[in-house]
């Protein structure tokens, strides 16, 4: 694929930079509650383990994070309990009940294991938890089970989606895009719509944790996948991306070409992967049934998002292993507001083409991928082909 900005073809007129600010507080706070997890996924960012780590935050330290978020004026950040497997925390009921009494919204991101059962879900629902995200990394058992390294896990995940819905949870499914599953994306989308999933969050693999042994997609394929995701977002399911904020640019370009007679393959010079995924999506789903459902909040690693590790260390995001301090020394919001790297990220102070781009605020590139590639969280995102010299 040749990028339109490189090839000299016309692209939509750039929009002005938006004054989007998350300076006072993030929208989402991810807390890696434990390293414990019964799975050993081949791409695990957390490098999870069977047993809890000895230095995990205590119940009282977890409550201190909740107290801090409860004091935020205006919209209260959402606390997302992840891991490892958050269901392995023995104090999960106490923590979620405390968050409910404090007015802090909580979502969970559990592993599919025997711990995800009716009794646990009933308890969490009673404690105010209404949203859960599960991972599904293939449209067929062979692919997903190979990633999760648990035979039968694909079938267990499909059953877990139904169990969560039965207990009143809104279900989000997370899928990691990698070379071994990228051609199944259309089938995954169709499967999720069939099972009534409301949100699909597509993670673009970053080589951290165990993921450094997994093959990422090819450079030219990022643009193809993002255009496909615009198509997939037209079937009544909201589509979001992680570590691919340039999806917002693609969505914006496509919104300026609403005429259905305009072929994105021609207009944006897309490659064979996009053509394959689009054809498979239409074969499975027929014509689109809704407008494009994709969020517009201009968040990225360190801007509207912050990550607290199991031991209290704070990072811009889970895929960006640059420690900014610890909640055992100062509050997570203090770190978020005052850290110079996060301030530069929120101000789009990028010295390269990400800083020159008209989408610097709305997109700004994946800071995690920039860091993984160069060691500099403010460098260019190598996956984005826009504005190449």
């Amino acid at each position: 694929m040749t990028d339109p900005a490189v090839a000299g073809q016309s692209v939509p007129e750039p929009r002005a930079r938006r004054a989007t600010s998350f300076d006072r507080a993030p929208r989402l706070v991810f807390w890696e509650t434990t390293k414990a997890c019964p799975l050993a996924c081949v791409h695990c960012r957390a490098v999870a383990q069977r047993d809890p780590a000895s230095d995990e935050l205590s119940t009282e330290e977890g409550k201190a994070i909740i107290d801090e978020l409860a004091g935020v004026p205006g919209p209260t950040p959402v606390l997302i309990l992840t891991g490892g497997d958050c269901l392995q925390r023995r104090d999960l009921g106490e923590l979620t009940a405390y968050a409910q009494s404090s007015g802090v919204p909580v979502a969970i991101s559990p592993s599919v294991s025997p711990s995800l059962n009716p009794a646990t879900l009933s308890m969490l629902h009673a404690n105010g938890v209404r949203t859960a995200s599960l991972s599904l990394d293939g449209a067929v058992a062979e692919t997903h089970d190979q990633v999760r390294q648990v035979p039968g896990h694909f079938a267990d995940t499909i059953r877990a989606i139904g169990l969560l819905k039965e207990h009143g949870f809104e279900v989000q499914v997370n899928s990691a895009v990698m070379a071994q599953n990228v051609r199944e994306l259309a089938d995954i989308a169709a499967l999720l719509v069939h099972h009534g999933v409301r949100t699909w969050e597509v993670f673009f693999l970053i080589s951290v944790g165990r993921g450094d042994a997994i093959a990422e997609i090819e450079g030219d394929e990022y643009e193809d996948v993002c255009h496909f995701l615009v198509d997939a977002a037209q079937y009544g399911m909201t589509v979001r991306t992680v570590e691919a904020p340039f999806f917002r640019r693609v969505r914006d370009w496509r919104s300026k070409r609403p005429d259905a007679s305009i072929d994105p393959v021609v207009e944006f010079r897309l490659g064979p992967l996009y053509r394959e995924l689009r054809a498979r999506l239409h074969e499975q789903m027929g014509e689109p049934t809704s407008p494009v459902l994709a969020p517009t909040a201009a968040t990225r690693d360190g801007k509207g998002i912050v990550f607290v590790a199991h031991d209290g260390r704070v990072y811009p995001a889970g895929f960006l292993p640059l420690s900014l301090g610890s909640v055992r020394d100062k509050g997570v919001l203090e770190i978020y507001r005052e850290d110079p790297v996060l301030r530069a990220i929120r101000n789009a102070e990028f010295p390269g083409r990400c800083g020159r781009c008209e989408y610097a605020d709305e997109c700004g590139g994946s800071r995690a991928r920039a860091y993984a590639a160069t060691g500099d969280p403010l460098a260019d995102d190598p996956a984005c082909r826009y504005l190449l010299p």
Side-chain angles (χ1 to χ4, degrees), residues 22 27 30-31 42 110 116 123 140 147 166 170 191 206 239 245 259 297 305 389:
F22 293 95
R27 170 172 289 191
F30 293 86
W31 175 21
V42 297
L116 187 66
M123 176 272 291
V140 295
V147 171
E166 289 172 12
E170 183 171 318
L191 182 67
I206 303 289
V239 177
D259 187 345
I305 295 170

Side-chain angles (χ1 to χ4, degrees), residues 13-96:
E13 288 296 318
R15 62 167 60 178
R17 294 189 182 193
R18 302 190 312 185
T20 306
S21 173
F22 293 95
D23 288 340
R24 299 304 303 164
R27 170 172 289 191
L28 304 174
V29 176
F30 293 86
W31 175 21
E32 181 189 58
T33 57
T34 181
K35 295 282 278 187
C37 182
L39 307 182
C41 305
V42 297
H43 64 325
C44 181
R45 169 209 56 78
V47 193
Q49 58 195 42
R50 276 287 174 181
D51 300 313
S54 60
D55 54 355
E56 292 177 2
L57 294 180
S58 68
T59 303
E60 293 308 311
E61 288 172 321
K63 288 181 177 180
I65 294 174
I66 293 169
D67 288 338
E68 197 177 358
L69 301 185
V72 172
T76 305
V78 178
L79 179 62
I80 301 175
L81 305 181
T82 181
D85 176 16
C86 61
L87 300 187
Q88 306 305 309
R89 284 281 302 209
R90 294 182 179 180
D91 57 358
L92 185 62
E94 183 178 353
L95 288 168
T96 53

Side-chain angles (χ1 to χ4, degrees), residues 1 5 10 20 24 35 48 67-68 76 136 149 168 172 178 188 193 204 242 267 274 281 310 313 316 367 376 379:
M1 182 199 75
S10 64
T20 306
R24 299 304 303 164
K35 295 282 278 187
D67 288 338
E68 197 177 358
T76 305
L136 185 71
Q149 300 195 79
Q172 170 183 306
M178 50 195 118
I188 294 174
V193 170
F204 285 66
V242 175
E267 184 74 6
Y274 171 76
L281 185 69
H310 71 282
R313 286 181 291 176
R367 300 299 95 216
D376 180 0

Side-chain angles (χ1 to χ4, degrees), residues 3-5 8-16 223 227 248-259 262-264 266-269 357-359 362 386-387:
D3 186 88
Q9 79 181 80
S10 64
V11 296
E13 288 296 318
R15 62 167 60 178
E223 200 82 359
H227 278 273
R248 300 177 193 132
R249 165 181 56 79
V250 171
R251 180 202 60 212
D252 184 54
W253 281 3
R254 292 282 295 273
S255 71
K256 290 177 168 59
R257 295 291 190 269
D259 187 345
I262 295 176
D263 185 355
V266 177
E267 184 74 6
F268 302 107
R269 298 193 179 184
C357 181
E358 67 268 24
Y359 292 95
E362 189 175 5
Y386 188 44
L387 293 183

